Amino acid sequence: MEEAQTFNGIDRLEGSDDWGVYKTLLESTKAIPWKINWQTKQFDYIGPQIETLLGWPRDSWLGAMDWIERIHLEDREKTANFCISQSEQGVDHEADYRALKADGSYVWIRDVVHVIRDGNGVTTDLVGFMFDISARKQMEQDVVELNRKLEAWSHQDGLTGIANRRLFDQTMAAEWARGKRSQEPLSLLMFDVDHFKGYNDHYGHVKGDECLVRLTREVSQMPLRSTDLFARYGGEEFALVLPQTPGDAALQIAEKCREVVAALKIPHAVSPVGVITISAGVCTMIPGEEGTYTTLIERADDKLYRAKRNGRNCICSC
């Protein structure tokens, strides 16, 4: 009867012929059974598996406060308040939280709670099981991380690693809407590689890809702001979205891009200047009620082709 003295809330079960069977079943599972007297908030019983999972001695689980104090601080208030309110209302419930182990680490627990009430509907006891759900939580975290990576990859150009056309369009739409609210200028720089078809024909497409990768790497290392977006618009054409940027500043950035690319001195036998160069178009607008962000793209693109008609390796702006 020592077990009954320690966990007197199950003394009626322990006195029955079936208690040994019940006890064996309860203590042979990985789930941790427990019982709390709701009036005293004291544990009547907790399975010995608790020591294997959390490391705390079984006899250290005296009352509800021992349970609460061993919940991760970030989960504690929310979990405790939820379980207390559900118990007082007589509602069965589940709670997931991080439980403190004796070695100072944490393990994810799911508590499945059944509320026992008397004839008047008043809560008298709680019985339940604790489950180790660390593996499941890790799997959920892995799925979240994978989805984050997939989302990032869906916005990334496969060759150069910079933003792709999809992210460019989304960013332009968002910055246009922001500019309409703030009435601040939105600048767009578009450039492409001069005589790139001739480069591919002469050196081959593998070398052409290597050229684009090297070019974008250098431009990406320029001191741009976190709000700026460098994207591959298509083929050998690139775009730089410059929110809250006046025209003169955008023109300076375009010139810097041109200089950075020319400084690479990538040989280009088909080009009149003998190295890879770019032509750029720059346009700045204050978004208004008329027009859309595509208007800004069209104008910047028009300036780009004017730069190419003017002899290439130069910049035209609105």
Side-chain angles (χ1 to χ4, degrees):
M1 296 301 293
E2 179 182 351
E3 205 53 72
Q5 293 171 359
T6 306
F7 304 112
N8 53 33
I10 55 170
D11 54 354
R12 285 171 296 177
L13 258 183
E14 187 160 5
S16 72
D17 294 337
D18 295 328
W19 167 240
V21 175
Y22 292 137
K23 184 172 181 292
T24 299
L25 288 173
L26 287 173
E27 297 181 358
S28 64
T29 66
K30 290 185 178 180
I32 303 167
W34 56 266
K35 179 177 181 293
I36 281 184
N37 182 312
W38 189 244
Q39 306 305 314
T40 64
K41 306 298 188 293
Q42 299 296 300
F43 276 101
D44 288 335
Y45 174 79
I46 192 163
Q49 304 98 311
I50 196 72
E51 295 187 9
T52 302
L53 178 59
L54 298 182
W56 300 104
R58 190 181 183 194
D59 58 10
S60 69
W61 297 83
L62 300 178
M65 284 307 301
D66 297 304
W67 167 71
I68 292 174
E69 290 174 356
R70 290 167 181 168
I71 296 176
H72 193 290
L73 188 59
E74 294 178 3
D75 305 333
R76 185 177 300 165
E77 183 175 1
K78 179 181 178 181
T79 302
N81 288 344
F82 170 74
C83 291
I84 290 171
S85 67
Q86 295 296 98
S87 299
E88 288 178 342
Q89 295 173 41
V91 179
D92 293 349
H93 54 279
E94 297 179 2
D96 294 354
Y97 56 88
R98 288 164 290 180
L100 176 66
K101 297 179 66 174
D103 63 7
S105 62
Y106 288 90
V107 60
W108 273 100
I109 292 290
R110 171 164 293 174
D111 243 330
V112 180
V113 184
H114 176 65
V115 181
I116 298 175
R117 293 175 290 174
D118 62 18
N120 297 318
V122 177
T123 299
T124 60
D125 300 280
L126 306 180
V127 294
F129 287 91
M130 294 181 185
F131 298 87
D132 177 2
I133 59 169
S134 297
R136 182 186 308 175
K137 283 293 182 179
Q138 183 60 53
M139 186 180 301
E140 291 174 359
Q141 184 178 338
D142 291 344
V143 170
V144 169
E145 179 63 18
L146 178 59
N147 286 335
R148 186 195 65 77
K149 289 181 178 179
L150 290 174
E151 178 69 14
W153 289 335
S154 73
H155 289 152
Q156 189 178 68
D157 177 59
L159 174 64
T160 64
I162 64 173
N164 61 11
R165 177 66 180 273
R166 178 185 180 191
L167 183 55
F168 168 78
D169 287 334
Q170 292 177 357
T171 301
M172 284 294 293
E175 293 301 341
W176 185 267
R178 184 178 293 113
K180 285 179 68 173
R181 295 191 299 269
S182 66
Q183 285 299 287
E184 293 181 296
L186 174 61
S187 291
L188 177 62
L189 184 167
M190 301 191 73
F191 70 81
D192 75 359
V193 182
D194 296 327
H195 305 290
F196 193 67
K197 182 180 183 303
Y199 187 91
N200 271 334
D201 291 343
H202 184 79
Y203 295 98
H205 288 279
V206 172
K207 286 293 185 181
D209 288 348
E210 291 175 357
C211 171
L212 295 181
V213 169
R214 188 175 174 190
L215 181 153
T216 53
R217 183 170 61 243
E218 291 301 312
V219 174
S220 296
Q221 291 176 357
M222 290 172 51
L224 301 173
R225 301 167 303 178
S226 61
T227 52
D228 300 334
L229 180 77
F230 181 37
R232 189 179 184 188
Y233 190 75
E236 71 273 22
E237 191 169 356
F238 299 86
L240 190 54
V241 184
L242 302 168
Q244 301 174 318
T245 304
D248 56 347
L251 189 58
Q252 291 176 12
I253 294 172
E255 177 59 28
K256 181 63 176 176
C257 288
R258 191 193 66 79
E259 293 174 354
V260 163
V261 172
L264 290 172
K265 297 187 182 302
I266 300 174
H268 189 348
V270 184
S271 170
V273 297
V275 295
I276 287 289
T277 59
I278 63 171
S279 297
V282 180
C283 189
T284 301
M285 294 179 63
I286 296 179
E289 295 301 324
E290 296 183 1
T292 65
Y293 71 86
T294 58
T295 305
L296 180 56
I297 296 174
E298 290 168 357
R299 292 182 182 180
D301 206 41
D302 178 69
K303 294 304 177 184
L304 165 60
Y305 283 94
R306 180 173 298 182
K308 297 181 81 67
R309 290 194 298 269
N310 289 347
R312 295 182 170 83
N313 192 25
C314 64
I315 301 165
C316 283
S317 63
C318 294

